[in-house]
């Protein structure tokens, strides 16, 4: 007997997101499915680099243990299925680890599926691809290319759910496709039911950033005021078989859910609303609207249209490109700006004096023009500034160069630069840059499957 | 006394690679017409010159109503490479809302 309504929960916007709102959803959200987005655009590159530097490091999301430990009890008790891309670079390992955690918690009988096939690094050089933004040949990257993952559609997750999986962990997948999959599974939408698939992706896009629908990334007092941000309730979507969609959150939770919060999230990270490309479908959401139908309760209005899925799948690439480092020191009190300007002049001459030539260098005066370039402050206003930061950020070929440039530009000001400088913060922010590129491959070159793991029967 | 966009609209910044997208949503739907008239692709391109933006496209969503501005080459190579304090460009929504608009009667009060 098919459901007439499916209740989805948005459990996280990223790997390091809060876990307490997801626990609240599992306990009180009366959900059918709780979906977690744990992968940023570059996360899989970070994982690849980590495993190069330490082959014993796990390839799945480092927050999986904490998240599963805290969410599983409530989810299992309330019959809530879990879908998440926290499988990251090792979905099978993630599934295995989840079963171990379940066993430690005394939870038995779980079916955990791993969806694999998004990793395409091994044969990506077979096809003479070029990067989409700059047209660079992918084959020219050589062994600097350390990560290549296709954004795959919902199919392998749907298959896993059809096989009875309670939890499905994936690698790179269209983020919103994690929310489409349970809708396809429960409502039986056909593979070419493009309008429904488009609706499911739109729901997923609104839900995939957790608190960003419910008052997070929103307040701008006095124009926009959000109560109790410290305990935001993450979002719930009620999707009807008739295509109705209503958003809500757990009663009594903090935050705000209004047409305004929904509009901001709808447009977030999109370009042309008539041609929103997803691995599953091409969406036209240009006519979408939102209507308040109760306190923190919003109904989606307007027609969402879908067109056949693209022939090509987007592939995210990670390329080693050198090193990054930065530091900031502060000048305060009378004459802060004058001393900071004096320091910048000294730092530039020092770099020249030593023959330092980073690939890219940036020196900011924070509080003056560090965020957008020269701001509206008059010269008199600048001279009156109470605090000015001097920030140096650099891109170099080697880690050693990055450390030297930042030390010369900030730390050495303590003894040898203008008066009254704060110490450089402790710790070193030098890290390797794995630059993001993307390309496209024909979808038939990517095949995804799911692997079901179950606990060993004693 | 001039008005800034912040007094009549809100915005959220998103990023994809080196591209920033900025929504622009009037608090009062009746202000969509004013925004359509004065917040043109050319004005946004000029406003974002310090960020290195090379091209701006504006899309409209009439049922909200809202606009989406897509700004290319605006994120110093994208968050994986940017040397800026704000590598994702999440503060660029505030920069857009800082844009002054010509003083004309809108019939709108600042939203609270």
């Amino acid at each position: 007997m098919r459901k007439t309504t499916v209740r989805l929960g948005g459990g996280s916007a990223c790997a390091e997101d809060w876990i307490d709102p997801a626990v609240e959803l599992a306990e009180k959200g009366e959900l059918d499915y709780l979906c977690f987005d744990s992968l940023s655009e570059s996360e899989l590159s970070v994982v690849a680099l980590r495993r190069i530097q330490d082959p014993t490091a796990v390839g799945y999301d480092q927050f999986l243990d904490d998240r599963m430990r805290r969410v599983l009890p409530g989810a299992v008790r309330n019959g809530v299925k879990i879908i998440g891309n926290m499988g990251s670079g090792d979905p099978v390992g993630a599934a295995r680890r989840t079963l171990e955690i379940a066993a430690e918690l005394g939870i038995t009988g779980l079916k955990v599926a791993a969806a694999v096939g998004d990793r395409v690094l091994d044969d990506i050089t077979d096809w003479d691809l070029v990067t989409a933004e700059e047209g660079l040949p992918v084959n020219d990257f050589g062994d600097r290319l350390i990560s290549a993952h296709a954004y795959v559609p919902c199919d392998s997750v749907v298959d896993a759910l059809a096989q009875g999986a309670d939890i499905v962990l994936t690698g790179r997948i269209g983020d919103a496709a994690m929310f489409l999959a349970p809708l396809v599974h429960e409502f039986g939408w056909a593979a070419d039911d493009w309008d429904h698939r488009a609706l499911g992706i739109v729901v997923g896009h609104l839900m995939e950033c957790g608190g960003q629908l419910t008052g997070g990334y929103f307040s701008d007092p006095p124009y926009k005021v959000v109560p109790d941000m410290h305990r935001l309730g993450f979002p719930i979507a009620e999707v009807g078989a008739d295509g109705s969609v209503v958003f809500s959150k757990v009663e009594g939770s903090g935050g705000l859910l209004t047409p305004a919060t929904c509009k901001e999230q709808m447009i977030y990270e999109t370009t042309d609303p008539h041609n929103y490309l997803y691995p599953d479908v091409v969406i036209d959401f240009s006519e979408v609207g939102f209507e308040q139908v109760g306190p923190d309760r919003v109904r989606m209005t307007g027609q969402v249209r879908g067109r056949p899925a693209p022939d090509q799948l987007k592939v995210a690439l990670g390329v080693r490109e050198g090193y990054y480092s930065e530091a900031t020191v502060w000048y305060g009190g009378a004459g802060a700006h004058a001393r900071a300007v004096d320091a910048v002049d000294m730092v530039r001459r020092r770099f020249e004096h030593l023959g330092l030539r980073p690939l890219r260098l940036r020196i900011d005066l924070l509080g003056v023009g560090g965020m957008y370039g020269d701001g509206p402050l008059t010269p008199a206003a600048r001279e009156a500034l109470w605090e000015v930061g001097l920030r140096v950020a650099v891109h170099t070929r080697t880690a050693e160069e990055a450390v030297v440039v930042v030390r010369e530009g900030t730390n050495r000001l303590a003894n040898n630069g203008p008066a009254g400088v704060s110490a450089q913060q402790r710790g070193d922010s030098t890290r390797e840059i794995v630059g993001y590129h993307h390309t496209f491959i024909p979808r038939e070159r990517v095949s995804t499957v799911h692997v079901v793991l179950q606990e060993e029967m004693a | 006394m001039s008005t800034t966009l912040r007094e009549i609209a809100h915005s959220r910044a998103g990023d994809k690679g080196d591209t920033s997208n900025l929504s622009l949503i009037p608090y009062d739907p009746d202000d969509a017409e004013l925004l359509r008239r004065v917040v043109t692709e050319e004005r946004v391109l000029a406003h974002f010159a310090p960020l290195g933006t090379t091209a701006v496209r504006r899309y409209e969503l009439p049922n909200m109503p809202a606009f989406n501005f897509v700004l290319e080459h605006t994120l110093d190579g994208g968050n994986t490479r940017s040397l800026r304090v704000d590598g994702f460009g999440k503060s660029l929504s505030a920069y857009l809302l800082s844009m002054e608009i010509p003083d004309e009667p809108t019939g709108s009060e600042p939203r609270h």
Side-chain angles (χ1 to χ4, degrees), chain A residues 41 212 216-217 220-224 263-265 267-271 287 321 360 372 391 436-437, chain B residues 6-7 10 12-13 17-18 21 27 50 59 63-64 68 80-81 83-85 90-91 95 110-112:
Chain A
E41 206 171 49
Q212 286 188 190
Y217 194 26
D220 185 12
Y223 301 102
K224 296 190 279 173
K263 290 175 192 177
E264 286 198 13
Q265 183 56 24
I267 301 173
Y268 177 70
E269 286 183 351
T270 66
T271 55
E287 294 179 19
E321 294 181 0
R360 288 185 298 143
Y372 313 124
R391 174 179 179 270
Y436 172 83
H437 291 277
Chain B
R6 181 167 177 254
E7 294 171 57
H10 55 112
R12 175 173 294 182
D18 198 17
N21 92 280
Y27 287 111
Y59 300 97
N63 284 354
M64 290 192 179
N68 186 20
T80 58
R81 302 183 181 88
L83 298 186
R84 296 178 184 162
V85 168
K90 289 190 181 301
S91 67
Y95 186 60
R111 296 285 159 265
H112 288 268

Side-chain angles (χ1 to χ4, degrees), chain A residues 231-407:
Chain A
R231 49 185 198 83
L232 286 180
F234 280 11
I236 297 167
E238 302 163 36
V239 184
D242 59 354
S244 61
V245 179
V246 175
F247 298 101
S248 64
K249 62 184 183 69
V250 169
E251 189 165 334
S253 61
L256 184 73
L257 215 182
T258 64
T261 66
C262 294
K263 290 175 192 177
E264 286 198 13
Q265 183 56 24
M266 184 70 250
I267 301 173
Y268 177 70
E269 286 183 351
T270 66
T271 55
D272 179 0
H274 299 277
N275 292 291
Y276 183 37
L277 267 60
Y278 239 77
D280 311 80
V281 60
V282 177
I283 300 115
D284 181 341
F285 67 86
S286 60
E287 294 179 19
V288 161
F290 299 96
E291 179 191 351
Q292 195 90 43
V293 293
D296 295 323
R297 196 171 168 79
V298 173
R299 189 174 73 88
M300 199 165 82
T301 64
Q303 181 69 45
V304 175
R305 292 189 178 77
R307 302 197 297 284
D311 294 331
Q312 312 249 328
L313 296 180
K314 178 170 154 183
V315 176
L317 305 170
V319 178
R320 302 176 88 164
E321 294 181 0
Y323 289 82
Y324 169 92
S325 192
E326 69 157 282
T328 302
V329 293
W330 289 84
Y331 297 89
H337 184 260
R339 282 179 281 119
V341 169
D342 198 25
V344 172
D345 178 63
M346 172 198 170
V347 166
R348 289 200 184 280
R349 290 174 194 247
R350 183 70 183 160
F351 289 165
E352 203 181 308
H353 184 65
L354 294 177
L356 295 177
R357 280 184 193 88
L359 295 173
R360 288 185 298 143
L361 169 69
R362 185 181 175 97
I363 302 177
D364 291 314
L365 287 184
L366 302 180
V368 183
M371 291 187 72
Y372 313 124
D374 284 349
L377 296 180
T378 63
R382 288 170 196 224
E383 290 314 303
L385 280 170
W386 188 244
E387 302 169 353
V388 178
L390 190 165
R391 174 179 179 270
V392 172
V394 69
H395 173 202
T396 56
R397 277 191 191 81
T398 68
E400 294 72 27
E401 284 175 86
V403 168
V404 168
V405 171
V406 168
R407 182 171 63 227

